[in-house]
Amino acid sequence: MPIAPFPAAGPPDLAHASARPADAWPERALPGPLVWRMVLAAVLALGLAGALAGWWLARAAVQEALQRLEVQQNDEVEMFARLLSGKIEQNQKMLRSVADGITPDMLDLPATLEWQLQQGLPAAQFFDALFVVRSDGALRVHQRQGRFQRAVPPELPVRVALERTLTGGRPQVDVLPGGSVDDARLLLTMPLHRDNGALLGVVAGMLRLQSPGLLSASLALPQRPDTRLLVFARDGTILAHSNPQRVLGRVQDEPGLADALARWPTASSDGLAAGAGTTQVLPDAMVSLAGMPLVQWTVARVSDTRALLSPLEGGLRSAWGQVAVALAGLALGLAAVLLWLAQPLARLRLQAQRLLEAGPDAAAPPVPGQRSSGEVGVLAGAFEGLLARHARQEGQVRTLRAQWRAALEHAPLGLAVTRGGEIDSAGQHLCQTLGYAPHDLEGRPVELLYTAQVRDGIAALEPLPCRGPVRIDEALSLRRKDGSAVWLQAQGWPVLEGEPEAGMLWLLQDMTLQRLERRSPAWGATHDALTGLENRQGLEQRLATWPAALQPPQARAPGAPPPAAALLFLDLDHFTVINDAVGHEAGDQILCHVARLLARQMQGAGWVARLGGDEFAVLLPDCSEAYAAAVAERLRSAVQALEPTVQGRSFALGASLGLVVLEDGSAGADVGAILHAADMACYDAKRAGRNCVRRRPVQRAGAPAP
């Protein structure tokens, strides 16, 4: 048998518990085990999130630092390669200037050639050694350190380079390693040509590799254990190095560089030959290479990644300590906040415990073993009281359902609720109109009631293509049970705004007789065929009789203001743009939407007429000017909020309204003057910026124009 934890008078009203006096609650209450587990889980989650975030940030910082170092080192190697290539090109230009100063006659006159090299060609003094060879291989000049060596032939590597230039007829650049660092030389050769292009001879200049004009010590990086800058030839001979002792060594002996060269793709060789720099990041080193195509040298820089990242890693270790301290502080703060937030739960637990222990008049004592310990078990008793409230609420729901069923059975209009394309419920009046019993319609698809006209798209129980609250006001051709057609005026509202699954509430009124009346010639003479509203002729007939419809003076209460009527002239703003954009047929659909909107807004409060095109009029009987102005503003806002969608495009509408108040003093004005005054007031609204309301008085017959 269930325990009754609350008094017989009913469960306590927990919704008004906060309104109790402060002494009704304990000042402090210790949290239960569930709260402590929640606090522990929150602290662990905070620590784990902080650790993961710190690890991710540290990893991202290392990756970012490596990328920056990679770009920086690659740019430095490329710059060094371009600088060294520029030096060699400058030396070639100087050798070419020497070659341009040697004429064919000088090759047959060694004394004249020597004088020219010493006096007429200052660029010849730049080179450590200079050789001039005739096309037949005869050595004409051998100058070394500014002195001519007439009887001393050049060494074999020089002769080989000279012969290769004589054979190929193109400039050459060769490296002569020698036996030591100081003996390494760079040999530049330049062919001599006659005016007709025939080969005349060869001039060659020699420079020491370690000379200021080439690989000077100032070009290299300072000697550091974490980075090395070197230049090596195609055969692997090191020509320059941050450590001078490694010059003329083998590049294969360089730590880290040999591994990079072994891993280098074959396609990258062409890139190096073209002078482009590239960088590899190895586990222990960062290697950047840049080629020099003219001499087929390669500039390399090898950096120790661990040494480069050591400052960053030290900063990260310091940051980790600070993060740990910060996380500990945040964990303590989070635990304190959670315990503070859990105080109402702890107090509620104590209060529920008191209810369970209040005695036989308040509740039956708890039965051991029927509930769990902790907050969940203690609060279970309090929640049993909520079940009683739920039972009362179910009773209220049953009452509401009975009231809704009574409305469905006795309402003089057709009521229905559709949901998910099916009829959820239908009123007795609607069922009689369609020839069905209520149980025949409920749960059936809405398409059961559609006629062929509806299926062809004339109208259906679907929302209009507009934004905001959905309201339907459409004449529907539905089918009775016997197959005959019936025309109903349909108005629909969503049961819950923004929740289509809740369904639509429909109010349907039989309009079959009214539709038959519309087919009569008398109705067509005073009504608009497109919108079903009154036309200009119908409005003029009402205006012609408006003074007689007003309350006579003798029937007014003493001190009451004289009655009046009002005419509103409404013109849609920029409607021609919509017609031009989607066509007149779609524009007519929008006009029908606006007509239904105006008719719905003025139900029982005035007459709506379409004067033609996008112009409408509203006649308000027996109203004050303030009321007419409020109605005009309401209509303007409703049109602005319509935003219909036609052919997949949404349009923003606006309306300019003119207001004319028809008082006793304007009874002498004819219908034309009233319409003209309203039209001019609407024109004033257009000139004032559109989408607004303006007022004008009515000019009586014979009165001067304003």
Side-chain angles (χ1 to χ4, degrees):
M1 184 174 182
I3 298 174
F6 294 104
D13 192 355
L14 300 181
H16 298 82
S18 59
R20 299 181 180 181
D23 54 2
W25 298 99
E27 295 183 358
R28 287 290 183 269
L30 293 178
L34 178 62
V35 173
W36 284 113
R37 288 194 293 269
M38 293 173 58
V39 171
L40 179 60
V43 170
L44 291 178
L46 176 63
L48 180 59
L52 290 177
W55 173 81
W56 183 263
L57 291 176
R59 183 173 178 270
V62 171
Q63 294 294 332
E64 179 70 17
L66 279 177
Q67 291 178 1
R68 290 180 178 272
L69 290 173
E70 181 180 349
V71 173
Q72 178 181 356
Q73 180 168 299
N74 193 79
D75 293 344
E76 291 176 355
V77 170
E78 285 186 355
M79 183 180 299
F80 187 87
R82 288 195 296 268
L83 179 61
L84 189 55
S85 298
K87 286 199 170 204
I88 295 177
E89 291 178 1
Q90 184 66 27
N91 293 332
Q92 281 189 320
K93 290 181 181 179
M94 297 183 68
L95 186 62
R96 186 178 293 109
S97 66
V98 173
D100 293 341
I102 299 176
T103 63
D105 297 339
M106 294 181 183
L107 295 179
D108 297 330
L109 301 173
T112 303
L113 181 58
E114 292 176 357
W115 181 90
Q116 177 70 8
L117 293 175
Q118 283 185 337
Q119 304 296 329
L121 297 173
Q125 308 303 319
F126 176 77
F127 297 94
D128 297 333
L130 195 67
F131 305 91
V132 179
V133 178
R134 204 164 52 190
S135 60
D136 56 0
L139 179 65
R140 309 308 295 165
V141 170
H142 180 184
Q143 181 185 9
R144 189 179 296 272
Q145 300 297 331
R147 297 181 180 181
F148 293 99
Q149 311 289 331
R150 294 183 177 87
V152 179
E155 54 266 31
L156 180 60
V158 176
R159 292 199 304 269
V160 173
L162 292 173
E163 291 175 0
R164 189 165 57 249
T165 304
L166 287 174
T167 303
R170 293 182 299 177
Q172 300 284 338
V173 180
D174 294 290
V175 178
L176 309 179
S180 64
V181 176
D182 295 335
D183 292 339
R185 298 288 188 274
L186 178 70
L187 181 65
L188 306 174
T189 62
M190 188 68 61
L192 301 175
H193 295 280
R194 297 180 183 274
D195 294 339
N196 58 2
L199 184 63
L200 181 63
V202 178
V203 59
M206 184 182 295
L207 287 171
R208 290 186 306 109
L209 282 179
Q210 305 301 321
S211 64
L214 285 176
L215 300 174
S216 61
S218 61
L219 292 178
L221 293 173
Q223 186 173 355
R224 294 186 343 213
D226 59 345
T227 183
R228 289 161 285 158
L229 181 66
L230 61 152
V231 180
F232 60 91
R234 182 173 55 179
D235 59 356
T237 303
I238 298 176
L239 306 178
H241 200 287
S242 300
N243 183 7
Q245 298 178 358
R246 291 288 299 139
V247 177
L248 297 185
R250 303 300 299 173
V251 72
Q252 289 79 6
D253 300 334
E254 282 293 314
L257 185 57
D259 297 337
L261 292 176
R263 297 184 181 184
W264 220 272
T266 305
S268 297
S269 302
D270 298 336
L272 294 177
T278 183
T279 300
Q280 279 192 20
V281 180
L282 303 178
D284 298 328
M286 181 185 296
V287 181
S288 299
L289 298 178
M292 299 172 56
L294 185 61
V295 293
Q296 296 185 349
W297 295 354
T298 303
V299 179
R301 182 174 178 182
V302 184
S303 301
D304 187 354
T305 53
R306 294 180 180 177
L308 293 176
L309 295 176
S310 59
L312 176 61
E313 292 176 352
L316 290 177
R317 285 192 294 270
S318 176
W320 269 112
Q322 297 176 3
V323 169
V325 174
L327 285 177
L330 288 176
L332 292 176
L334 177 61
V337 171
L338 290 177
L339 292 175
W340 176 73
L341 293 176
Q343 277 296 304
L345 180 61
R347 294 174 181 175
L348 183 59
R349 178 181 63 87
L350 292 180
Q351 185 68 11
Q353 185 69 34
R354 289 181 179 179
L355 290 175
L356 293 175
E357 299 172 355
D361 295 335
V367 178
Q370 286 192 353
R371 292 193 178 93
S372 303
S373 60
E375 293 93 338
V376 176
V378 175
L379 292 177
F383 292 153
E384 289 179 0
L386 297 178
L387 294 177
R389 176 182 298 177
H390 177 67
R392 293 197 305 270
Q393 292 176 349
E394 284 188 345
Q396 295 175 357
V397 171
R398 287 193 297 269
T399 302
L400 291 176
R401 288 177 179 174
Q403 294 172 353
W404 169 244
R405 180 57 58 183
L408 291 177
E409 292 179 357
H410 303 292
L413 295 176
L415 294 176
V417 174
T418 61
R419 180 169 55 186
E422 296 182 352
I423 302 174
D424 187 80
S425 58
Q428 183 69 26
H429 187 276
L430 177 63
C431 293
Q432 293 177 356
T433 302
L434 298 177
Y436 287 92
H439 62 273
D440 292 336
L441 287 180
E442 294 179 356
R444 305 290 294 276
V446 180
E447 288 80 359
L448 175 70
L449 305 177
Y450 288 172
T451 62
Q453 291 175 313
V454 174
R455 286 196 174 93
D456 292 340
I458 293 180
L461 296 179
E462 298 295 337
L464 282 177
C466 62
R467 301 177 184 174
V470 179
R471 293 178 180 240
I472 309 303
D473 188 358
E474 182 73 23
L476 295 179
S477 174
L478 299 184
R479 183 174 56 186
R480 296 189 181 97
K481 187 176 182 179
D482 58 7
S484 61
V486 59
W487 287 89
L488 300 177
Q489 190 77 14
Q491 300 181 30
W493 297 266
V495 175
L496 293 177
E497 295 290 347
E499 297 184 14
E501 63 277 4
M504 292 283 296
L505 171 64
W506 296 94
L507 178 64
L508 301 107
Q509 184 177 3
D510 193 346
M511 299 293 293
T512 305
L513 295 178
Q514 290 86 336
R515 187 172 181 83
L516 292 176
E517 291 178 356
R518 292 185 179 184
R519 298 181 181 180
S520 65
W523 187 92
T526 58
H527 288 77
D528 179 55
L530 176 63
T531 61
L533 301 177
E534 292 186 353
N535 57 17
R536 181 181 290 269
Q537 182 177 352
L539 178 65
E540 289 179 352
Q541 291 179 4
R542 293 189 181 278
L543 286 174
T545 60
W546 76 267
L550 295 180
Q551 187 180 20
Q554 59 273 16
R556 301 175 195 164
L567 179 64
L568 304 178
F569 193 99
L570 185 148
D571 190 350
L572 299 180
D573 296 330
H574 303 297
F575 190 75
T576 55
V577 177
I578 299 178
N579 280 332
D580 295 340
V582 296
H584 289 277
E585 182 177 354
D588 290 345
Q589 296 181 19
I590 296 178
L591 289 176
C592 291
H593 293 341
V594 175
R596 288 192 295 270
L597 173 67
L598 298 177
R600 186 170 58 246
Q601 292 287 332
M602 299 308 302
Q603 285 181 355
W607 296 279
V608 182
R610 182 190 176 210
L611 303 183
D614 58 349
E615 296 177 347
F616 297 86
V618 178
L619 180 60
L620 301 173
D622 287 342
C623 68
S624 64
E625 180 178 355
Y627 174 76
V631 171
E633 182 61 29
R634 187 180 70 201
L635 295 180
R636 186 201 62 78
S637 300
V639 172
Q640 185 179 12
L642 183 58
E643 297 189 18
T645 300
V646 179
Q647 298 179 2
R649 300 177 59 180
S650 297
F651 296 92
L653 296 179
S656 300
L657 287 89
L659 169 61
V660 170
V661 178
L662 309 178
E663 300 174 342
D664 286 343
S666 56
D670 58 10
V671 173
I674 295 174
L675 291 175
H676 178 73
D679 190 10
M680 289 297 99
C682 181
Y683 180 69
D684 293 341
K686 294 280 188 182
R687 290 194 304 177
R690 303 179 187 272
N691 199 26
C692 60
V693 180
R694 291 294 183 269
R695 181 188 183 280
R696 270 204 179 195
V698 178
Q699 183 180 359
R700 290 180 295 171

